[in-house]
Amino acid sequence: AIRMTQSPSSLSASTGDRVTITCRATQDLKFRLAWYQQSPGKAPKLLIYATSSLPSGVPSRFSGSGSGTDFSLTISRLQSEDFGTYFCQQYYSNPLTFGGGTRVDMK
Amino acid sequence: EVQLLESGGGLVQRGGSLRLSCAAPDFIVRGNYIHWVRQAPGKGLEWVAVFYGDGGTDFADSVKGRFTIQRDSSENTLYLQMEDLRADDTAMYYCARGVLNYFDLWGQGSLVSVSS
């Protein structure tokens, strides 16, 4: 199975900050990498797919980049509704696997 | 709005069985796959199983041989049948639509608690 490692596991930030989360895979994902946001008590929500594509309705302050085994999610200007936990997920091969999550909370 | 509706969670003893339901309109499911993903309390996400449109299924090694998926086409409902439940099966279970195996729609979740 492909192992996904996220860093940091948590961070504290203020509204307006630029935040970057990284995700590393144990093999080349051929850009098949997604990111999800989860607010407390809620189901995850798709933020980015295919490394850098935003689904309809996701604000443009979210962006994704990367290739091969190294990927990142950037929030250009953190908003209050962005606090929560973020997960990366590879869908290059089964079993589908997730990173351990990055908790973003208020400084 | 919620487009995948889950039900059937609850408290069960170790070794017991439980069936989760995931109701999804046909237009949501058509041409895509339906997955189950779980999250143990305070933990990350773990893929559990997938139902392919042709009726095929696949399961994580951790549940293989204990979990199965059935479909009731007339009610647009999928069922995750869980047998021989263990304490480490305790989790919130989500059904989710898979598009090329990333998840673009999620249910609200159904909590399964296994007591020892």
Side-chain angles (χ1 to χ4, degrees):
Chain A
I2 297 175
R3 190 154 62 214
M4 307 297 293
T5 303
Q6 273 182 249
S7 62
S9 57
S10 66
L11 65 91
S12 296
S14 303
T15 54
D17 284 354
R18 180 182 181 90
V19 170
T20 297
I21 299 167
T22 64
C23 182
R24 174 165 288 177
T26 53
Q27 67 181 78
D28 189 343
L29 300 182
K30 309 294 186 190
F31 299 100
R32 294 187 181 182
L33 190 283
W35 290 95
Y36 302 88
Q37 175 193 55
Q38 187 177 35
S39 299
K42 301 288 188 181
K45 171 190 170 185
L46 178 67
L47 276 184
I48 286 173
Y49 64 96
T51 298
S52 60
S53 297
L54 270 64
S56 174
V58 173
S60 58
R61 64 180 179 272
F62 292 95
S63 64
S65 64
S67 65
T69 61
D70 294 313
F71 301 88
S72 64
L73 169 71
T74 297
I75 310 171
S76 60
R77 287 175 145 176
L78 196 68
Q79 302 297 304
S80 57
E81 61 266 32
D82 300 337
F83 294 103
T85 303
Y86 293 81
F87 296 94
C88 61
Q89 179 233 336
Q90 67 80 18
Y91 54 99
Y92 177 71
S93 70
N94 287 340
L96 308 176
T97 48
F98 294 86
T102 296
R103 180 177 169 178
V104 178
D105 61 24
M106 188 175 297
K107 186 183 289 184
Chain B
E1 74 279 4
V2 175
Q3 294 175 296
L4 297 174
L5 189 61
E6 302 180 53
S7 60
L11 178 63
V12 62
Q13 286 193 324
R14 185 178 58 187
S17 303
L18 206 58
R19 188 177 79 163
L20 303 182
S21 302
C22 176
D26 184 62
F27 73 91
I28 293 292
V29 178
R30 193 181 311 132
N32 297 298
Y33 306 152
I34 295 295
H35 296 256
W36 295 87
V37 175
R38 69 184 180 184
Q39 186 171 34
K43 301 297 184 183
L45 300 168
E46 178 189 16
W47 175 79
V48 174
V50 59
F51 178 87
Y52 300 112
D54 62 1
T57 56
D58 196 10
F59 298 89
D61 286 346
S62 57
V63 306
K64 200 169 288 184
R66 300 187 297 122
F67 289 14
T68 57
I69 298 175
Q70 297 94 35
R71 180 180 187 180
D72 183 335
S73 299
S74 64
E75 296 190 356
N76 292 325
T77 300
L78 289 172
Y79 300 98
L80 181 68
Q81 180 68 43
M82 304 183 292
E83 307 283 349
D84 189 23
L85 284 162
R86 307 167 180 168
D88 61 3
D89 293 320
T90 293
M92 183 71 77
Y93 285 73
Y94 297 99
C95 64
R97 184 175 75 171
V99 177
L100 296 177
N101 285 337
Y102 63 86
F103 310 114
D104 70 335
L105 288 175
W106 294 70
Q108 83 282 9
S110 193
L111 184 60
V112 173
S113 297
V114 183
S115 67
S116 52

